Structures are given as structure tokens and as C-alpha cells.
């Protein structure tokens, strides 16, 4: 602690330089076509103990806490940037992808993981659950930064799915972890009840709080406009905490609250949305940098072949199966479903979920983390770089 205080000014400068480089990297990313989150991960790895930075960092639980806070802001900002008029026509399909689609992905992946890795089926199901959801930060970042205009409300569908499927993946991950670590517990028979309660409470609370916030802003009528964003941050933390305390899903609550809030006009709305957009970007930078710090690149080659095979299974088998089955009765054409399958980007959420086994002290925690990290890299490289190309190739860009 004394060393930190003594060198505080130096650390402040270093943090400023890192953030500046990370932000400027967006310009480089646009020029060479590499997704920005991959740049952030790369910078984090360079700063780590095996990179030029030499920063020693291996605290998975701290990473999990940082990731949770970051996701709160990222999902809320995503909700605030989503217009209900766009989401409403695709709400049913989005919910199907966010729940049933995630379950299908987890089950299909579990079967292949069981065949490829030396895991029990429950461990395979755990890894399948961890990589089962698309990543809101990755999807929001790439679709919005590339400004791709897609036909037939595909973009709202993808954003709704990525913003609302994290709760399902988190739920499955925790349930499997409980079964693994507490086999005597009666979690199997109770999982459906917990699932309904989490989503019901989370959804209702999100709707109520999203409706109340504009009213609160009108009622308090503060003369200092700069305090409105601070009130929104306080409200955001209260929503997440209250939802979790009541047994709901906090992530679902804040995302729905963001969408609901954006339906109404209220004082300093544009100012609040702009503020949360900035905070969401900062949180994305921070979480990807920290995740990059946590990984040891020298350990990735050990799992490279298995993780590459599983990545291809996820991209070309599990994700398409989940999309085509979930959207079986939808109006989307085969090409549109193929594109929705392709934008199944994995990002921060699977890596954050991969830190959960550490908390439960599972024997294969380290291998799970490395496999997930490698799979995210493959997903971002292969899918993230080709999102625009595939949209043109499949003919679903609006003219």
C-alpha cells in the first residue's frame, strides 16, 4: 500500500496513457478492420505478466466483480439506445433466441465437449453453458461502429437477443456449478421454478423501474443538469441490487429498464443517454483490458487444437441449430437466419462466466478459462471481421 501511495502520480499517468491508447486504437481498428474488442484484449495481454508491461495479475474473482459492474453499464446503455418501436415486432423471436436458443447451444456444445475433452458430462455442460450466449458488448460495438443497415429488423433482433440472453447463460452456468459442487442439493427438480422466478421478477422490475425513472426526473426538477446522469447511475445500481435481492435477474432488469426508459421524454434525456454511452465505452475498455491481463498467452497453445475444433462446432453447428430451431416459425428467410447465426459473437460475458468455476474451486477451472478465452478470440477474429462481408454476401443490407 505504501508503494502505491508513493508512486500514485506515476500510476495515474500510466492509467491515462493506457486509456488514451485504447481509445485511439478505435481509429486503427476502423482502418484495418479488426474488431475493437480484440484490440483491447490484445493491449491487455501485452500489458500482462508475459507481455511488455509485466503487470502481475491473476485474480479471477476481482475480474468477475469488475466484469459484473461493467456489464451493468453496458447492458443499460444498450437498452437506452434501443427503441421499443424497433424491438416490438421482433420481441417474441428475440425472447426465443435468448432462452430456448441458449439452451440448445449449451446442450449441443456439451455433447461435442464430452467427446473432445476429458470432461465428465456435467463439466461439459458447464463449459457449454458458459459459451452459450452471444455477447452484448461485442454485438453492440461491432454493429453500431460499422453502421451496418440490415433488412427486416435483423439488427434490433440481434441486439435484443444479445442484451437479454446473458441471464439465461448465467442461470445455466450457476445451476450446473451447484449440481457439480453440491450433488446432494435438490437443484435439478427446482431449476424450472428458479428460472421462472428469476425472469418474472427481473422482467417486471425492469418494466416498473424503467417507467418510473422518467417520472422521477420530471418530479425532482434539479437545476444542475450534470446531476441527472448521477441520479441515473444511482437508480441503475438500485435496480440491479433490488432485483438480485428479490430473487430476480439483475441483468435482465437493467436491460429492460433501459428500453422502457427510452420510450418516454423527460428532462435531460439526451444528456443522460450520452453520458451512459461514454461510460459503456469506458467499461468495455476496462473489462477487455482486465480480461487480457488475466490470461497467460503461453498456456493457450496447450488447448489450441481442442478449442479451435470447439469454436468451429459452435460457429457452424451449435449456433445455426439454435437459430434455425428457435426461428422455425418466424418470417425470416434461410439467408437471414444464416446471417443471424453468423452474428453469434462471443466476447466478455463468456470469459467473465469462465471465472465462476474458480469461485467454486473446480479442478478444471484453469483449463475451462483458457478454452473459453481461445474460443472468444476465434469468434471475434472469424465472425467479427466478416460481419459486413457476410451481410453483403447474403444480400440483406438495406439499399
Amino acid at each position: 500500500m505504501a508503494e502505491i501511495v508513493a508512486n500514485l502520480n506515476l500510476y495515474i499517468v500510466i492509467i491515462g496513457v493506457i486509456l488514451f491508447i485504447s481509445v485511439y486504437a478505435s481509429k486503427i481498428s476502423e482502418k484495418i478492420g479488426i474488431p475493437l474488442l480484440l484490440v483491447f484484449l490484445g493491449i491487455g495481454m501485452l500489458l500482462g505478466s508475459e507481455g511488455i508491461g509485466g503487470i502481475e495479475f491473476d485474480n479471477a474473482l476481482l475480474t468477475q466483480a469488475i466484469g459484473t459492474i461493467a456489464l451493468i453499464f453496458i447492458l443499460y446503455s444498450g437498452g437506452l439506445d434501443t427503441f421499443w418501436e424497433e424491438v416490438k415486432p421482433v420481441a417474441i423471436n428475440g425472447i426465443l433466441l435468448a432462452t430456448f436458443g441458449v439452451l440448445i447451444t449449451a446442450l449441443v456444445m456439451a455433447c461435442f465437449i464430452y467427446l473432445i475433452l476429458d470432461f465428465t458430462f456435467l463439466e461439459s455442460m458447464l463449459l457449454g453453458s458458459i459459451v452459450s450466449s452471444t455477447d452484448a458488448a461485442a454485438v453492440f460495438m461491432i454493429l453500431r461502429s460499422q453502421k451496418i443497415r440490415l433488412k427486416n429488423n435483423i439488427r434490433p433482433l440481434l441486439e435484443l437477443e444479445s442484451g437479454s440472453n446473458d441471464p439465461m447463460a448465467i442461470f445455466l452456468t450457476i445451476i450446473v456449478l451447484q449440481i457439480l459442487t453440491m450433488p446432494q442439493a435438490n437443484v435439478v427438480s427446482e431449476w424450472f421454478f428458479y428460472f421462472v422466478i428469476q425472469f418474472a421478477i427481473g422482467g417486471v422490475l425492469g418494466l416498473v423501474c424503467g417507467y418510473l425513472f422518467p417520472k422521477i426526473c420530471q418530479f425532482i426538477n434539479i437545476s444542475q443538469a450534470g446531476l441527472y446522469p448521477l441520479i441515473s447511475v444511482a437508480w441503475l445500481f438500485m435496480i440491479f441490487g433490488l432485483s438480485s435481492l428479490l430473487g430476480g435477474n439483475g441483468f435482465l432488469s437493467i436491460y429492460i429498464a433501459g428500453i422502457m426508459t427510452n420510450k418516454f421524454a423527460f428532462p435531460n434525456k439526451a444528456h443522460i443517454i450520452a453520458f451512459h454511452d461514454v461510460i459503456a465505452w469506458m467499461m468495455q475498455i476496462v473489462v477487455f483490458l482486465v480480461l487480457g491481463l488475466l490470461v497467460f498467452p503461453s498456456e493457450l497453445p496447450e488447448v489450441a487444437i481442442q478449442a479451435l475444433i470447439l469454436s468451429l462446432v459452435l460457429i457452424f453447428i451449435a449456433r445455426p441449430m439454435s437459430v434455425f430451431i428457435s426461428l422455425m416459425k418466424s418470417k425470416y428467410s434461410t439467408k437471414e437466419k444464416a446471417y443471424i447465426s453468423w452474428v453469434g459473437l462471443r466476447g466478455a460475458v463468456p470469459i467473465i462466466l469462465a471465472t465462476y468455476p474458480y469461485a467454486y474451486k473446480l479442478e478444471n477451472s484453469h483449463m475451462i478459462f483458457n478454452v473459453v478465452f481461445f474460443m472468444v478470440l476465434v469468434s471475434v477474429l472469424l465472425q467479427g471481421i466478416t460481419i459486413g462481408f457476410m451481410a453483403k454476401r447474403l444480400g440483406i443490407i438495406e439499399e
Side-chain angles (χ1 to χ4, degrees):
M1 181 62 71
E3 183 185 349
I4 293 175
V5 174
N7 297 297
L8 183 60
N9 292 333
L10 175 62
Y11 293 142
I12 290 173
V13 171
I14 292 172
I15 292 171
V17 170
I18 292 171
L19 286 176
F20 183 86
I21 292 173
S22 299
V23 172
Y24 185 75
S26 64
K27 192 171 184 179
I28 301 171
S29 172
E30 289 175 4
K31 284 186 176 181
I32 62 179
I34 296 177
L36 197 51
L37 78 163
L38 189 62
V39 175
F40 297 152
L41 280 173
I43 293 173
M45 292 167 72
L46 284 173
L47 293 171
S49 58
E50 295 183 352
I52 57 176
I55 299 174
E56 297 285 345
F57 183 80
D58 60 354
N59 194 326
L61 297 182
L62 177 59
T63 303
Q64 183 181 322
I66 293 171
T68 299
I69 294 171
L71 282 174
I72 291 173
F73 285 98
I74 291 167
L75 289 173
Y76 190 64
S77 177
L80 285 175
D81 288 335
T82 302
F83 295 96
W84 173 247
E85 292 75 18
E86 294 179 350
V87 169
K88 188 177 179 181
V90 298
I92 294 176
N93 291 325
I95 292 170
L96 284 172
L97 285 173
T99 52
F100 192 52
V102 169
L103 180 60
I104 293 172
T105 302
L107 288 170
V108 173
M109 287 304 301
C111 294
F112 281 92
I113 291 165
Y114 183 70
L115 294 173
I116 294 169
L117 298 179
D118 188 23
F119 280 10
T120 65
F121 187 76
L122 274 178
E123 290 174 330
S124 302
M125 188 64 195
L126 173 63
L127 181 50
S129 300
I130 288 171
V131 298
S132 62
S133 71
T134 58
D135 187 73
V139 173
F140 290 160
M141 185 187 294
I142 292 175
L143 286 180
R144 293 177 184 183
S145 63
Q146 295 189 12
K147 297 177 181 177
I148 302 170
R149 298 180 62 190
L150 302 171
K151 294 179 180 177
N152 206 8
N153 285 327
I154 292 177
R155 176 178 148 173
L157 174 67
L158 290 168
E159 293 188 350
L160 176 62
E161 178 204 6
S162 65
S164 56
N165 65 7
D166 296 336
M168 183 66 172
I170 294 168
F171 173 80
L172 288 175
T173 300
I174 292 174
I175 286 295
V176 177
L177 279 169
Q178 288 179 347
I179 297 172
L180 276 167
T181 56
M182 296 179 290
Q184 73 280 4
N186 196 26
V187 290
V188 179
S189 62
E190 296 176 356
W191 81 267
F192 183 75
F193 173 76
Y194 289 139
F195 170 80
V196 173
I197 290 296
Q198 276 206 354
F199 278 72
I201 293 175
V204 171
L205 193 64
L207 289 172
V208 172
C209 291
Y211 173 80
L212 288 177
F213 183 69
K215 309 296 181 186
I216 291 171
C217 289
Q218 290 173 341
F219 177 76
I220 57 176
N221 193 25
I222 298 174
S223 57
Q224 291 86 1
L227 289 177
Y228 279 88
L230 184 57
I231 291 171
S232 70
V233 172
W235 188 248
L236 175 59
F237 284 147
M238 285 191 289
I239 295 171
F240 184 83
L242 183 61
S243 179
S244 300
L245 287 172
L246 293 175
N249 193 290
F251 294 108
L252 184 65
S253 294
I254 56 178
Y255 183 64
I256 292 177
I259 296 175
M260 192 69 179
T261 296
N262 195 24
K263 285 185 63 179
F264 304 100
F266 54 92
N268 292 289
K269 176 181 177 180
H271 189 46
I272 290 173
I273 291 176
F275 169 81
H276 278 285
D277 189 44
V278 172
I279 293 296
W281 272 106
M282 184 173 178
M283 288 297 171
Q284 288 176 81
I285 292 172
V286 169
V287 74
F288 286 122
L289 286 176
V290 172
L291 290 170
L293 283 173
L294 187 62
V295 74
F296 293 91
S298 62
E299 297 177 354
L300 295 180
E302 298 176 12
V303 299
I305 295 176
Q306 299 100 315
L308 179 60
I309 294 171
L310 291 175
S311 300
L312 297 177
V313 169
L314 177 61
I315 294 168
F316 293 104
I317 299 176
R319 169 67 177 173
M321 282 181 65
S322 70
V323 170
F324 277 82
I325 293 173
S326 299
L327 301 182
M328 196 186 320
K329 305 252 183 207
S330 72
K331 61 183 178 180
Y332 293 106
S333 66
T334 301
K335 286 186 176 181
E336 288 168 340
K337 290 175 185 174
Y339 186 74
I340 294 167
S341 301
W342 191 252
V343 192
L345 285 161
R346 269 60 191 175
V349 174
I351 304 176
I352 293 168
L353 288 180
T355 64
Y356 280 44
Y358 287 104
Y360 286 80
K361 296 181 172 58
L362 286 190
E363 184 181 348
N364 288 318
S365 299
H366 204 59
M367 184 176 183
I368 289 172
F369 182 86
N370 287 334
V371 169
V372 172
F373 193 92
F374 194 97
M375 291 177 70
V376 168
L377 290 181
V378 173
S379 173
V380 173
L381 276 171
L382 182 57
Q383 296 170 288
I385 292 176
T386 57
I387 278 182
F389 169 78
M390 290 298 289
K392 292 177 184 176
R393 184 80 175 174
L394 294 170
I396 58 171
I397 293 181
E398 282 188 348
E399 301 297 337

